[in-house]
Amino acid sequence: MPFRFARIPGVDGKVLVTSEVGEFEFLDETDFRAFEAGTLSPATDAYADLQGKHFLVEGDPSTTLRMVAAKYRTRKSFLKGGPALHVFVVTLRCDHSCRYCQVSRQTADQARFDMSTETVAAAIDLMFQTPSPSLTVEFQGGEPLLAFPRIRQIVEAIEERNRVKGRAITFSMTSTLHQADGEVLEFLRRHDFQLSTSLDGPETLHDANRPQPGRESHRRTVEGIGRVRAVLGERSLSALTTLTRESLKHPEAIVDEYVRLGFPSIFLRPLSPFGFAAKAAQRIGYGMEEFLPFYERALAYILELNRKGVAIQEAYTGFLLSHILTPFPTGYVDLRSPTGAGLGARVYNYDGGVYASDEGRMLAEMGDHSLRLGTVHDSHADLMQSEGMQLLLATGVAEALPGCSDCAFLPYCGADPVFNLAREGDPVGHRPTNAHCTKHTGLFRILFRYLAEADPHVMRTFTSWVTQRPVQRLPDAEAA
């Protein structure tokens, strides 16, 4: 069967080989050379290992091909059903002025940037045209709770419509939680919301990244976390941190703040190349060559905490490990091939514009409207045949991209044409200098080094992150 290979820094004398369906094996140099040449002896352990993972086939290949095809179908099963994540941008208003914000925020008094009743009705009609049996309705902003009456209207209208449609509906929201008072929380509890908030670490770092009048963002966020947990329960809320240049100096302190506040997971997310984050890049930005050492240090610290009995995981690592260790797709739409933009997610902007992802919406705010699929008054079929979707489909299949098609990490990775458009002005991107590629090849090398070392405690921890992953909102867009 076809294979790809890579040499992992820190794993001396071993070569990683991977298959089209994500099986992998570490071979010593002698066995690898023999395998590559087709002369590996059937009497060796390496031969048996490779045969067991379908790298090697003896006799009639039909049974093996059926098994491999089943694994491949499973890996690509996210393609069934069409867009399942539907993001309603109910307002652009926000009471923060975060330096890294990727959204085009407006001040809290600018109600004209709220989604209209007419747009709400048309967006709901459009959402129910999609065939997916399970729908996640996510509310974003700005700060969505500044338009809470609109959220209430959308939820009640969807539930009324769903009495006939019979879909499985999940409601979620990203919010600072500052406006989450008793009335709001009781509504969210009744409708079983999953919430995500931003927590950038200790108070000084959080308040520097997420300024607010009075410099009390961290205090109010922590108070909101407490209120949410008291009404909705511990598992209803997750948090993520967005990393600035200053954040990279403090991996242990950031993780410790999550542990202090009782979070079972932390999402360590680099800056995006959109909106205010792009404008502030010279002051707060960094390259992947700076992010990867931070990540490696943070992951080592998290693993050491687990070794001491403190259960916390890095959420993105959990997604990557699921891609490596299982054939099952995750809900993370930004790491799919074909791309999750438009195929797995859709965004309804406050003004009625429809986008393939929230990043596509931000691209439009920056002057590039190529990923605007249409409006809420178009049909699902028209949006799926739009020029924006054609662009995504032509450039969003990693198996067909130069530099991706022969990469050992291809089965676990995905295409991100929206990111490439923002960074390079080209949806394909230039792999040798591509930040998405540099980030993910670096992350995979770190994780495969751990897998090669096979430390029993690390392996047990990694397995638990895959099989017992806590609820973690997946950030299709920047948290409010």
Side-chain angles (χ1 to χ4, degrees):
M1 301 294 286
F3 71 93
R4 303 174 179 89
F5 70 93
R7 289 176 171 81
I8 307 298
V11 182
D12 295 334
K14 296 284 187 179
V15 180
L16 170 71
V17 294
T18 66
S19 74
E20 200 70 41
V21 295
E23 297 284 5
F24 69 91
E25 186 67 40
F26 288 99
L27 300 176
D28 64 38
E29 287 285 354
T30 300
D31 286 339
F32 172 71
R33 290 301 179 193
F35 172 54
E36 188 179 36
T39 59
L40 184 63
S41 170
T44 62
D45 290 340
Y47 190 98
D49 291 338
L50 291 168
Q51 187 177 24
K53 295 178 179 179
H54 305 130
F55 286 95
L56 293 171
V57 181
E58 291 184 348
D60 181 3
S62 58
T63 300
T64 297
L65 286 173
R66 285 196 297 271
M67 295 176 68
V68 170
K71 290 180 182 179
Y72 197 77
R73 284 195 302 270
T74 300
R75 281 194 172 271
K76 303 298 184 182
S77 60
F78 58 80
L79 290 169
K80 297 177 181 178
L85 173 62
H86 295 262
V87 179
F88 286 72
V89 182
V90 292
T91 184
L92 294 188
R93 292 186 287 148
C94 189
D95 57 352
H96 278 66
S97 53
C98 302
R99 296 190 294 167
Y100 54 62
C101 182
Q102 76 175 36
V103 304
S104 51
R105 62 177 181 257
Q106 301 292 331
T107 56
D109 60 343
Q110 299 293 315
R112 69 179 184 275
F113 292 100
D114 291 359
M115 184 176 280
S116 70
T117 300
E118 295 76 18
T119 297
V120 165
I124 292 173
D125 286 342
L126 182 55
M127 181 186 76
F128 276 110
Q129 290 179 35
T130 60
S132 177
S134 300
L135 302 174
T136 296
V137 178
E138 180 165 318
F139 296 100
Q140 299 240 358
E143 168 49 58
L145 286 181
L146 290 174
F148 175 65
R150 191 64 74 230
I151 294 174
R152 184 195 298 271
Q153 175 195 355
I154 294 170
V155 170
E156 292 174 349
I158 287 174
E159 291 190 338
E160 178 65 26
R161 180 77 62 85
N162 201 46
R163 292 179 183 178
V164 176
K165 296 294 186 180
R167 309 288 183 91
I169 305 285
T170 299
F171 293 110
S172 66
M173 179 170 58
T174 57
S175 171
T176 65
L177 308 179
H178 294 191
Q179 285 76 29
D181 58 20
E183 176 190 3
V184 168
L185 291 174
E186 179 56 27
F187 177 85
L188 300 180
R189 184 193 65 78
R190 288 201 310 271
H191 298 280
D192 199 24
F193 265 70
Q194 291 293 321
L195 303 180
S196 176
T197 194
S198 287
L199 179 69
D200 283 2
E203 182 175 6
T204 54
L205 183 58
H206 181 97
D207 286 344
N209 285 349
R210 303 178 61 79
Q212 191 182 39
R215 297 184 62 82
E216 56 182 9
S217 175
H218 181 274
R219 178 185 63 79
R220 294 184 65 190
T221 298
V222 171
E223 290 174 353
I225 290 169
R227 293 194 302 272
V228 168
R229 287 172 170 171
V231 177
L232 277 71
E234 296 283 337
R235 289 182 59 81
S236 65
L237 177 67
S238 63
L240 55 91
T241 180
T242 301
L243 303 165
T244 61
R245 184 183 300 162
E246 182 63 25
S247 303
L248 300 187
K249 303 174 185 176
H250 309 286
E252 294 84 4
I254 293 171
V255 173
D256 284 343
E257 184 70 354
Y258 274 70
V259 172
R260 183 182 76 84
L261 293 172
F263 283 102
S265 68
I266 180 172
F267 197 117
L268 299 171
R269 185 175 57 169
L271 288 174
S272 74
F274 304 96
F276 292 97
K279 296 176 182 178
Q282 286 191 339
R283 290 184 288 110
I284 64 174
Y286 45 85
M288 286 300 108
E289 71 280 359
E290 297 169 273
F291 166 75
L292 289 170
F294 164 87
Y295 169 85
E296 189 166 11
R297 180 173 153 189
L299 180 60
Y301 183 61
I302 289 169
L303 289 171
E304 183 58 30
L305 287 176
N306 278 270
R307 193 182 296 273
K308 295 176 180 178
V310 179
I312 184 170
Q313 70 165 254
E314 204 286 308
Y316 198 63
T317 302
F319 303 144
L320 298 180
L321 288 171
S322 290
H323 289 198
I324 294 170
L325 300 176
T326 84
F328 304 109
T330 66
Y332 193 68
V333 298
D334 289 344
L335 204 63
R336 289 180 175 177
S337 175
T339 178
L343 294 176
R346 182 177 290 169
V347 176
Y348 310 107
N349 201 20
Y350 80 98
D351 62 359
V354 179
Y355 297 87
S357 68
D358 204 60
E359 291 78 8
R361 178 175 71 95
M362 290 305 96
L363 212 57
E365 295 289 345
M366 297 167 67
D368 183 343
H369 297 270
S370 56
L371 298 183
R372 188 177 189 271
L373 306 184
T375 77
V376 293
H377 302 291
D378 293 317
S379 70
H380 169 64
D382 287 341
L383 295 178
M384 295 303 289
Q385 297 176 65
S386 65
E387 290 185 6
M389 275 307 307
Q390 298 307 309
L391 175 64
L392 289 169
L393 292 171
T395 60
V397 180
E399 288 84 352
L401 296 179
C404 291
S405 60
D406 57 356
C407 176
F409 307 124
L410 172 65
Y412 323 114
C413 200
D416 196 348
V418 186
F419 179 93
N420 295 335
L421 268 173
R423 274 288 177 92
E424 302 179 30
D426 171 16
V428 173
H430 180 240
R431 289 296 164 276
T433 58
N434 185 269
H436 175 84
C437 182
T438 301
K439 171 188 172 183
H440 286 95
T441 55
L443 295 178
F444 285 125
R445 286 187 176 109
I446 291 168
L447 295 181
F448 273 108
R449 190 189 72 229
Y450 277 113
L451 294 174
E453 292 169 352
D455 176 271
H457 184 273
V458 171
M459 296 304 293
R460 285 194 299 271
T461 301
F462 280 176
T463 300
S464 72
W465 290 4
V466 172
T467 60
Q468 304 170 25
R469 193 160 63 238
V471 173
Q472 173 74 45
R473 285 298 313 129
L474 307 178
D476 174 72
E478 196 80 31

